[in-house]
Amino acid sequence: MSYGLIRGTADKCIYFKHGPSSIIELMILVVVDDMMVAYPPHKQHVYDAFIAAFKALTDVQEVTNPTSFVGLTITRNMACNQLKLSQTPYIEKVLDT
């Protein structure tokens, strides 16, 4: 499935879908068999079309507003337009070992 995705040059696990004026409409992070998709709120329809096409190929479990992803803790503050990523639980686990 290409869906017009372009693989990132700096990180081969990130894919982009650009719109007609080369503005990023979707950003997709793939880690083994996990995937996270980011998109601006006004591009919900682009996400919906992408995820429908992807669901036609494989089983997909959608998680709205995830709090973790491949060992990262995700904290969002929508009022301040902030996203915080942390590996504190992973670091604590490594230090306890």
Side-chain angles (χ1 to χ4, degrees):
M1 177 180 122
S2 71
Y3 195 69
L5 300 176
I6 298 171
R7 193 176 206 178
T9 54
D11 189 329
K12 301 297 184 188
C13 295
I14 299 178
Y15 295 81
F16 301 95
K17 176 165 179 49
H18 293 88
S21 41
S22 297
I23 295 174
I24 296 173
E25 294 185 333
L26 292 177
M27 188 168 34
I28 303 160
L29 171 62
V30 179
V31 180
V32 187
D33 63 348
D34 292 316
M35 176 174 71
M36 182 171 286
V37 182
Y39 57 93
H42 66 281
K43 294 295 180 179
Q44 178 72 46
H45 66 284
V46 177
Y47 169 78
D48 292 341
F50 167 77
I51 206 68
F54 200 73
K55 282 181 175 181
L57 299 173
T58 188
D59 186 33
V60 175
Q61 178 185 359
E62 288 184 82
V63 177
T64 306
N65 298 322
T67 56
S68 65
F69 180 71
V70 295
L72 292 171
T73 301
I74 303 167
T75 307
R76 297 174 66 183
N77 183 335
M78 298 302 280
C80 297
N81 201 25
Q82 293 177 337
L83 175 72
K84 178 182 173 185
L85 302 176
S86 168
Q87 286 189 300
T88 303
Y90 172 75
I91 292 168
E92 289 173 348
K93 181 180 174 183
V94 169
L95 292 175
D96 286 342
T97 313

